[in-house]
Amino acid sequence: MRALCLPFFALLLLLVNTGAQAIVLVAAELPPYVIQSSHGKPSGVGIEIMEEAARRLGEPLTIELMPLPRALTQTIHRPDVLMIPPVRSSQREHLYQWVTPILDEQFLIVSDRRFHPKALKSSDLKNLDVGVLRYSFGQHLLKQRIGIRGETVADEQLNAHKLHRGRIDAWVAAWNVILYAQQQDKRSSQQLVRGEVLMNTQLFLAAHKDFPFKQAQRWQAVIDEMRHDGTLARIIRQYNYQAPE
């Protein structure tokens, strides 16, 4: 009897081992790309893009939400994960496998028109208090371009609040992040003055350096397909996302 059972258990083990394994997506909490919803299920333009890609690939997707600094670190140390939505930069180039761009974005300086009604330039910032998200690409730009660290916060909505209160003179971040944080702080975008654009760039789907290359190619191909058939544009429109012109 024991001998008869062995083939059955071997077959069962094979079926379990060859089943679809959930892809782990490390998602940095950066609204509107990745939003921690009140009911627990994450949302955001980046999340919707990845969920649609996973549906087309027929692969389960496990989403792990975490702050940006932790997401960046986790992806360096976990070879089985994908990550959204980092900016590809010279500083990060060697740290990750850059699978494919998912969104176009623009980093710029903004001010509150009550305090700084004229558009600010990068040359103005050395003598001003500048708000920036800790460990963000905006902070990297400030240091690289202007040589200042800025006043860092853990949440961009704090920058919206501080700008309104006059506690900072300028705010450097991605434009769509600024718009979302301003909305969440119940402030009008008309209150903002757009200053110098520091960089037009792209947000990426990235992975650990040792993430399987063929698997990464499948994700790249399906997101390219979504770009060409208009799915990306449809998802972006739902979030009133403003891509750089």
Side-chain angles (χ1 to χ4, degrees):
M1 180 69 178
R2 181 171 176 273
L4 290 174
C5 290
L6 285 176
F8 171 76
F9 285 118
L11 177 61
L12 182 62
L13 184 62
L14 180 64
L15 290 172
V16 170
N17 287 342
T18 57
Q21 300 296 310
I23 293 292
V24 175
L25 176 67
V26 171
E29 294 178 39
L30 285 172
Y33 322 125
V34 176
I35 303 169
Q36 173 66 72
S37 302
S38 57
H39 53 73
K41 186 178 185 297
S43 61
V45 60
I47 293 292
E48 285 209 29
I49 289 170
M50 291 301 295
E51 286 180 335
E52 173 61 17
R55 186 191 67 78
R56 294 187 184 201
L57 289 170
E59 296 190 7
L61 189 67
T62 298
I63 300 171
E64 295 184 9
L65 290 180
M66 58 190 73
L68 175 62
R70 187 176 166 211
L72 293 169
T73 302
Q74 286 274 311
T75 308
I76 290 172
H77 296 293
R78 294 172 62 183
D80 60 335
V81 301
L82 295 167
M83 172 179 62
I84 58 170
V87 174
R88 188 173 186 172
S89 67
S90 56
Q91 179 193 32
R92 298 171 177 168
E93 181 68 32
H94 66 290
L95 298 175
Y96 308 102
Q97 181 180 165
W98 299 94
V99 179
T100 188
I102 55 173
L103 292 165
D104 294 323
E105 188 52 282
Q106 187 174 72
F107 282 78
L108 74 164
I109 306 164
V110 297
S111 61
D112 187 304
R113 66 177 63 256
R114 296 171 301 159
F115 308 119
H116 292 277
K118 291 185 178 179
L120 293 174
K121 298 179 181 179
S122 55
S123 57
D124 299 322
L125 298 188
K126 284 194 174 181
N127 299 316
L128 299 177
D129 294 323
V130 184
V132 70
L133 182 68
R134 190 175 299 122
Y135 299 114
S136 67
F137 186 68
Q139 185 182 12
H140 170 69
L141 282 176
L142 267 184
K143 184 177 179 181
Q144 181 187 58
R145 297 281 189 86
I146 306 159
I148 61 175
R149 184 174 181 270
E151 296 189 17
T152 61
V153 295
D155 185 329
E156 290 285 24
Q157 194 174 333
L158 289 173
N159 277 326
H161 185 72
K162 289 171 72 175
L163 191 73
H164 176 73
R165 295 288 183 181
R167 291 167 54 196
I168 54 175
D169 301 297
W171 177 12
V172 170
W175 177 237
N176 287 281
V177 169
I178 290 170
L179 290 176
Y180 187 88
Q182 191 79 350
Q183 175 188 340
Q184 292 301 107
D185 202 50
K186 297 180 172 54
R187 311 294 174 193
S188 170
S189 61
Q190 300 301 313
Q191 192 174 326
L192 301 175
V193 178
R194 286 173 57 103
E196 181 182 338
V197 173
L198 299 178
M199 182 175 285
N200 288 320
T201 187
Q202 292 178 307
L203 306 178
F204 270 74
L205 170 63
H208 186 279
K209 294 281 285 186
D210 294 331
F211 188 84
F213 181 69
K214 287 186 178 180
Q215 180 76 308
Q217 281 186 313
R218 295 177 69 238
W219 285 89
Q220 179 186 34
V222 76
I223 290 174
D224 282 346
E225 176 187 273
M226 290 165 60
R227 186 176 291 110
H228 293 139
D229 69 17
T231 302
L232 287 189
R234 176 183 57 77
I235 293 172
I236 287 168
R237 281 196 301 271
Q238 291 175 353
Y239 285 85
N240 297 315
Y241 192 90
Q242 295 184 17
E245 295 180 358

